[in-house]
Amino acid sequence: VSWRVVVAGAGAIGTRVAAELEAGRVEGCRLAAVLDSKTDDATVEAALRGADLLVEASSNAAARELLPRAFDAGLRVLLCSCGVLADRALEQDLRRRGVVVGTHVLVPAGAIGGLDILGAASRAAASPDDVTVRHTTTKRPAALGLPQLLQEAVVVFRGSAREAALAYPLTSNSSVALALATTGLDHVEVVVVADPAATGTRHRIELAAPVGRYDFLIENTVSPGSGGRTSEITAWSVVSALASIARSGPAPADGARPVALGSPVVMPGHTSVIRTP
Ligand SMILES: NC(=O)c1ccc[n+]([C@@H]2O[C@H](COP(=O)([O-])OP(=O)(O)OC[C@H]3O[C@@H](n4cnc5c(N)ncnc54)[C@H](O)[C@@H]3O)[C@@H](O)[C@H]2O)c1
């Protein structure tokens, strides 16, 4: 077992991921530590120094703090709070550190899927302008921080994936993962619908490109206790991504070698927010 994994976050995602690791059910990986908001600084530092990969399943604020520390310690990061990548200041900071999305920072497909064909169709186009991508997310109002009093479904946001990540930081991670896999944060259109009748979360992903037209509907059950925000599938996407990473080979000793990744991890399509300088 070669990949020592630190899990940051003991909530809807982190608890499940840590349990699977601890039970030895993620081939090629073992649980090194679990961090939560109460973990003291020295313990965080020791945990990072003793690991190969950080599963970030905490919060946007914690992700911003943990990312540079993890890279300083030579770790790969599987980033659940990937909405933070929409922040241009963070993007620049990571670029200065030589951090590359798809190599050092890995984004799980999370609550959505089909990113392999959508990424391929985006790559096949001569320009991102030849591809249109729309992501419509429907959640119950409470999951979007809105009162449950609405009488009917209403569109509460329409904009780019980058704008969505800034406007709805708690619920836009899937849009960011989709954008990273396809035409980029400024090309993907995001529509957010608050529906008082929604029980779970619905994602409709529509992509039209010269090579084809794709229309996916994804309906997820939400994790109990997540306030309707986190789909149960997300933790399993992280577990699949870990198994895929471990299948690519042993943990790199020098912290520098890229890992070859299978489909559960988002590979940058046309554009990635972070490129090698
Ligand atoms: N990529 C996706 O598709 C996707 C889907 C759902 C949620 N998310 C994101 O993943 C993250 C975790 O989601 P969740 O539903 O498990 O959240 P949650 O609220 O259930 O749990 C968050 C956990 O993070 C811990 N935490 C807070 N600050 C921390 C810190 N500084 N260091 C370590 N741990 C800290 C908390 O103690 C808590 O245990 C959130 O940012 C969420 O927006 C991503």
Side-chain angles (χ1 to χ4, degrees):
V1 175
S2 67
W3 287 79
R4 297 164 299 170
V5 179
V6 173
V7 178
I13 299 172
T15 301
R16 167 65 67 191
V17 172
E20 289 299 298
L21 284 164
E22 196 160 31
R25 285 195 287 264
V26 191
E27 53 279 19
C29 297
R30 74 175 165 82
L31 183 64
V34 179
L35 313 175
D36 69 15
S37 54
K38 299 193 188 71
T39 312
D40 67 73
D41 209 55
T43 307
V44 172
E45 200 54 37
L48 295 177
R49 298 278 160 198
D52 303 299
L53 185 141
L54 170 70
V55 170
E56 182 289 313
S58 50
S59 67
N60 286 16
R64 284 167 193 278
E65 196 208 307
L66 285 167
L67 272 170
R69 293 180 71 174
F71 296 127
D72 284 350
L75 272 63
R76 296 290 191 280
V77 177
L78 190 52
L79 182 67
C80 290
S81 309
C82 60
V84 296
L85 297 176
D87 175 354
R88 292 189 192 275
L90 180 75
E91 176 187 342
Q92 276 179 6
D93 179 49
L94 294 181
R95 190 189 287 135
R96 264 195 306 276
R97 293 168 185 274
V99 169
V100 181
V101 169
T103 300
H104 307 100
V105 55
L106 310 166
V107 176
I112 57 168
L115 300 180
D116 47 359
I117 198 167
L118 300 178
S122 303
R123 195 175 283 272
S127 150
D129 295 334
D130 297 336
V131 184
T132 57
V133 191
R134 184 185 301 130
H135 181 202
T136 306
T137 307
T138 305
K139 293 191 176 189
R140 59 189 167 95
L144 298 164
L146 299 168
Q148 188 68 28
L149 305 168
L150 293 176
Q151 297 299 311
E152 56 185 23
V154 272
V155 172
V156 294
F157 175 85
R158 195 183 284 271
S160 70
R162 190 185 303 277
E163 290 162 346
L166 300 174
Y168 286 98
L170 297 179
T171 59
S172 299
N173 295 296
S174 300
S175 299
V176 169
L178 172 66
L180 290 173
T182 57
T183 55
L185 291 163
D186 299 306
H187 280 85
V188 170
E189 182 190 6
V190 174
V191 181
V192 179
V193 179
D195 182 354
T199 47
T201 298
R202 181 181 304 132
H203 298 274
R204 183 162 181 208
I205 300 171
E206 299 159 274
L207 185 145
V211 293
R213 203 182 69 75
Y214 311 91
D215 190 347
F216 298 154
L217 181 64
I218 294 161
E219 292 184 332
N220 288 325
T221 306
V222 292
S223 288
S226 77
R229 284 198 306 272
T230 296
S231 298
E232 279 190 285
I233 191 77
T234 309
W236 295 104
S237 164
V238 171
V239 170
S240 301
L242 286 174
S244 165
I245 290 165
R247 268 197 303 276
S248 78
D254 59 0
R257 184 174 62 75
V259 287
L261 300 167
S263 61
V265 176
V266 169
M267 298 298 287
H270 241 297
T271 52
S272 76
V273 278
I274 293 151
R275 288 187 179 282
T276 350

